[in-house]
């Protein structure tokens, strides 16, 4: 396995794709995706364009769909929900198609949707994704942070670092061939510095600050939880994610 970290989708190579891409948007898209699928949603269908979401979801029975749209941290008018994982109890999402469009995470998914295998990760399900990668050993893996409108996000790179750290363990020169770029080392260093203080890191981050201004501190607290969901969101077809459950 050769591991690469890209802090934003805009930084990924444009001339090839990996065997497996892992999209990360801790605050909050991939946390919400994991939460919704763990709660029993039929699937999550992601859109970068909110108008396309509205058009496609209109073809579904209103009792079998939920529309979740977020821009700038706030719910989009006309949607049922925003992008908070705390708004997705199982009784509301069970058996439904969850149509999702967010500022950053859905754009990252679109960038890698043609890769042979696409997963999403957040701190809430990081261990399940790590176990999947260790079991399947894809030849090349991209850990792709969603960032914020093209710029770097602390929390996404820290999550990439958590996954890379678990896969590589204590770094040594013998592992040089499996480290695809310098960002892997940087992500691991960031994670190791903050691994016991993730909520504090989120409060420092620019997007964490946006959510605090929107009085969404409960979202930060939830998104900082580790390994509380045994689910591996897995792309079934471009833009459509289903629950791949961790084997016990």
């Amino acid at each position: 396995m050769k591991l690469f970290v890209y802090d934003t989708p805009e930084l990924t190579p444009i001339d090839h794709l990996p065997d497996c891409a892992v999209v990360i948007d801790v605050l909050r898209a991939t946390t919400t995706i994991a939460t919704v699928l763990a709660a029993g949603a039929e699937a999550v269908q992601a859109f970068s364009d909110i108008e396309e979401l509205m058009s496609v979801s209109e073809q579904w029975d209103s009792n079998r769909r939920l529309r979740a749209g977020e821009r700038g941290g706030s719910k989009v008018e006309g949607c049922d929900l925003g992008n908070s994982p705390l708004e997705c109890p199982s009784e509301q999402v069970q058996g439904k198609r969850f149509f999702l469009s967010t500022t950053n995470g859905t754009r990252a998914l679109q960038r890698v949707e043609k890769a042979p295998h696409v997963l999403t990760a957040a701190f809430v399900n990081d261990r399940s994704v790590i176990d999947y990668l260790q079991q399947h050993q894809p030849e090349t893996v991209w850990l792709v942070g969603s960032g914020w409108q093209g710029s770097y996000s602390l929390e996404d790179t820290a999550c990439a670092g958590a996954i890379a750290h678990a896969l590589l363990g204590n770094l040594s020169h013998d592992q040089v061939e499996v480290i695809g770029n310098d960002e892997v080392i940087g992500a691991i260093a960031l994670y190791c510095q903050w691994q016991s203080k993730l909520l504090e890191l989120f409060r420092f981050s620019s997007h964490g600050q946006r959510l605090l201004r929107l009085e969404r501190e409960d979202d930060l607290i939830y998104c900082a939880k580790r390994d509380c969901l045994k689910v591996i969101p897995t792309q079934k077809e471009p833009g459509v994610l289903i629950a791949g459950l961790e084997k016990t």
Side-chain angles (χ1 to χ4, degrees), residues 61-75:
D61 186 317
S62 60
N63 294 319
R64 295 178 54 241
R65 73 176 186 224
L66 280 172
R67 294 164 165 166
E70 170 268 324
R71 291 294 182 271
S74 299
K75 182 171 79 75

Side-chain angles (χ1 to χ4, degrees), residues 131-181:
D131 290 345
Y132 173 95
L133 295 172
Q134 288 175 328
Q135 177 184 355
H136 292 277
Q137 292 289 315
E139 187 172 343
T140 54
V141 177
W142 290 1
L143 304 176
V144 183
S146 298
W148 176 265
Q149 297 182 344
S151 63
Y152 176 90
S153 285
L154 282 169
E155 66 278 0
D156 293 346
T157 299
C159 186
I163 296 170
H165 181 65
L167 294 174
L168 299 178
N170 294 321
L171 292 173
S172 69
H173 291 295
D174 295 336
Q175 295 173 304
V176 168
E177 291 187 358
V178 302
I179 299 170
N181 59 4

Side-chain angles (χ1 to χ4, degrees), residues 35-242:
T35 301
V36 165
L37 291 175
E42 177 263 336
V44 174
Q45 189 162 351
F47 298 84
S48 58
D49 181 76
I50 194 70
E51 296 303 325
E52 184 182 4
L53 180 154
M54 292 296 187
S55 175
V56 173
S57 63
E58 194 63 36
Q59 301 168 30
W60 284 67
D61 186 317
S62 60
N63 294 319
R64 295 178 54 241
R65 73 176 186 224
L66 280 172
R67 294 164 165 166
E70 170 268 324
R71 291 294 182 271
S74 299
K75 182 171 79 75
V76 173
E77 185 177 354
C79 288
D80 305 298
L81 303 169
N83 185 25
S84 171
L86 299 179
E87 296 174 352
C88 307
S90 58
E91 60 269 20
Q92 187 171 13
V93 304
Q94 181 77 37
K96 294 182 181 178
R97 175 67 61 103
F98 193 88
F99 295 90
L100 176 67
S101 182
T102 71
T103 305
N104 304 293
T106 47
R107 190 182 72 255
L109 277 165
Q110 188 175 54
R111 167 66 190 92
V112 297
E113 67 182 7
K114 293 182 181 178
H117 302 282
V118 178
L119 315 175
T120 69
F123 283 110
V124 292
N125 71 321
D126 59 347
R127 186 70 249 178
S128 295
V129 172
I130 290 161
D131 290 345
Y132 173 95
L133 295 172
Q134 288 175 328
Q135 177 184 355
H136 292 277
Q137 292 289 315
E139 187 172 343
T140 54
V141 177
W142 290 1
L143 304 176
V144 183
S146 298
W148 176 265
Q149 297 182 344
S151 63
Y152 176 90
S153 285
L154 282 169
E155 66 278 0
D156 293 346
T157 299
C159 186
I163 296 170
H165 181 65
L167 294 174
L168 299 178
N170 294 321
L171 292 173
S172 69
H173 291 295
D174 295 336
Q175 295 173 304
V176 168
E177 291 187 358
V178 302
I179 299 170
N181 59 4
D182 287 356
E183 288 90 332
V184 174
I185 308 300
I188 291 173
L190 177 66
Y191 167 70
C192 288
Q193 175 70 25
W194 292 92
Q195 59 183 308
S196 62
K197 302 177 291 184
L198 289 177
L199 182 56
E200 186 177 347
L201 177 68
F202 291 1
R203 287 174 172 147
F204 274 120
S205 71
S206 58
H207 193 35
Q209 288 290 311
R210 291 184 195 96
L211 292 174
L212 288 172
R213 288 193 292 271
L214 292 167
E215 300 183 346
R216 304 300 314 207
E217 184 175 15
D218 287 349
D219 280 356
L220 297 189
I221 293 169
Y222 179 80
C223 293
K225 291 183 177 181
R226 300 296 303 276
D227 187 31
C228 61
L229 300 176
K230 305 299 182 185
V231 65
I232 309 162
T234 305
Q235 183 174 262
K236 177 184 177 182
E237 58 188 81
V240 178
L241 297 148
I242 61 172

